[in-house]
Amino acid sequence: MASHSADCRYPTEMDEAIKKLESALGPTDVMVASAGVGYPTAIDLENLEQTTETFQTNVLGVIHAFRSVLPGMIHRKSGQLAAVSSLAAFKGFPGESAYCASKAAVNIFLEGMRIRLKGTGIVVTTICPGFVKTPMTDINNFHMPFLVSAESAAQKIMKALEKRQSVACFPWQMSALVGLLRVCPDRLIQWLFADYNSSSPNQSG
Ligand SMILES: NC(=O)c1ccc[n+]([C@@H]2O[C@H](COP(=O)([O-])OP(=O)(O)OC[C@H]3O[C@@H](n4cnc5c(N)ncnc54)[C@H](OP(=O)(O)O)[C@@H]3O)[C@@H](O)[C@H]2O)c1
């Protein structure tokens, strides 16, 4: 599988990268939009630049990536669109509001696309990992339950793509934990995240 990187916030740059790639390797069968950023959300929302970048990269990046290959896929009546979202999409975790909201937007966007594209030969796969050991999480100074290696995450993603799954959440332990946290009262979440919030950067902007 070939991979290519372009600034996913700018559609023209993305289009040019795809054009170059397709002229060398042929049409895109599978698009996996994986680029993403994550910053703690400041309590006073003063880190607006980081919040803007979060939505531009995590949400618009996915839309631009899909748009750059969809016309060809629709024409060929085949293809697979996938995005690496997160289990964070399922709950607004304190201190991570922007990241969680961006991933929730990805999930809903893909859900709509999946329903819209049914019967066209194009499948849409939403990938929701828990904590994965990558440079994004290497900077975290808090306990990350059920952390998996990048290799293990890659295997799970490949399997989900091959099975043309609609939504793939992993690891199951973290998926179950997030399911539980979704129905917990706010007060319990506040207590569970007390340490994280007191040591999190950007507390006051
Ligand atoms: N690590 C986790 O625990 C975890 C859990 C759930 C979901 N995810 C999601 O998994 C995806 C991959 O994250 P990761 O853990 O591999 O993080 P990472 O190590 O920080 O990698 C992020 C990737 O996104 C690219 N990127 C960032 N901004 C971009 C932009 N504007 N245009 C093009 N590329 C851009 C980076 O490219 P450069 O290297 O060129 O900057 C890098 O390749 C993200 O969507 C993340 O939200 C991660």
Side-chain angles (χ1 to χ4, degrees):
M1 186 186 288
S3 75
H4 197 80
S5 166
D7 194 322
C8 65
R9 291 166 301 184
Y10 301 107
T12 41
E13 219 179 295
M14 175 81 70
D15 287 344
E16 276 162 28
I18 293 294
K19 221 196 275 169
K20 228 196 265 176
L21 192 66
E22 290 194 335
S23 65
L25 298 173
T28 304
D29 298 314
V30 183
M31 163 60 83
V32 183
S34 175
V37 294
Y39 302 105
T41 309
I43 194 165
D44 53 11
L45 301 183
E46 279 296 324
N47 61 336
L48 204 54
E49 225 171 85
Q50 292 177 332
T51 299
T52 304
E53 187 188 342
T54 301
F55 280 90
Q56 280 187 330
T57 306
N58 298 6
V59 185
L60 293 179
V62 172
I63 295 170
H64 293 160
F66 286 6
R67 194 199 58 83
S68 66
V69 297
L70 245 180
M73 288 183 176
I74 290 170
H75 180 71
R76 293 188 299 279
K77 296 188 174 60
S78 81
Q80 183 170 25
L81 301 172
V84 183
S85 179
S86 169
L87 286 176
F90 298 106
K91 179 78 192 170
F93 290 108
E96 301 291 342
S97 309
Y99 182 75
C100 294
S102 73
K103 294 301 189 179
V106 168
N107 282 23
I108 295 296
F109 181 79
L110 264 66
E111 185 175 68
M113 292 293 288
R114 182 178 305 116
I115 297 166
R116 179 69 180 87
L117 290 168
K118 202 137 198 119
T120 62
I122 301 159
V123 295
V124 179
T125 300
T126 311
I127 297 154
C128 298
F131 289 112
V132 182
K133 192 173 170 4
T134 68
M136 184 182 272
T137 49
D138 282 346
I139 56 165
N140 291 347
N141 58 359
F142 54 88
H143 173 64
M144 291 176 278
F146 310 113
L147 179 75
V148 299
S149 68
E151 292 74 18
S152 159
Q155 279 170 8
K156 292 240 164 27
I157 292 170
M158 282 305 293
K159 213 163 152 187
L161 293 175
E162 280 162 12
K163 288 164 93 177
R164 296 166 85 80
Q165 250 174 278
S166 294
V167 182
C169 298
F170 63 87
W172 69 265
Q173 300 94 325
M174 192 61 196
S175 188
L177 183 60
V178 170
L180 197 64
L181 291 174
R182 279 184 87 174
V183 294
C184 279
D186 289 354
R187 209 182 297 180
L188 182 60
I189 306 281
Q190 201 176 6
W191 177 75
L192 285 170
F193 281 78
D195 279 352
Y196 167 72
N197 276 321
S198 58
S199 64
S200 171
N202 293 318
Q203 278 309 294
S204 57

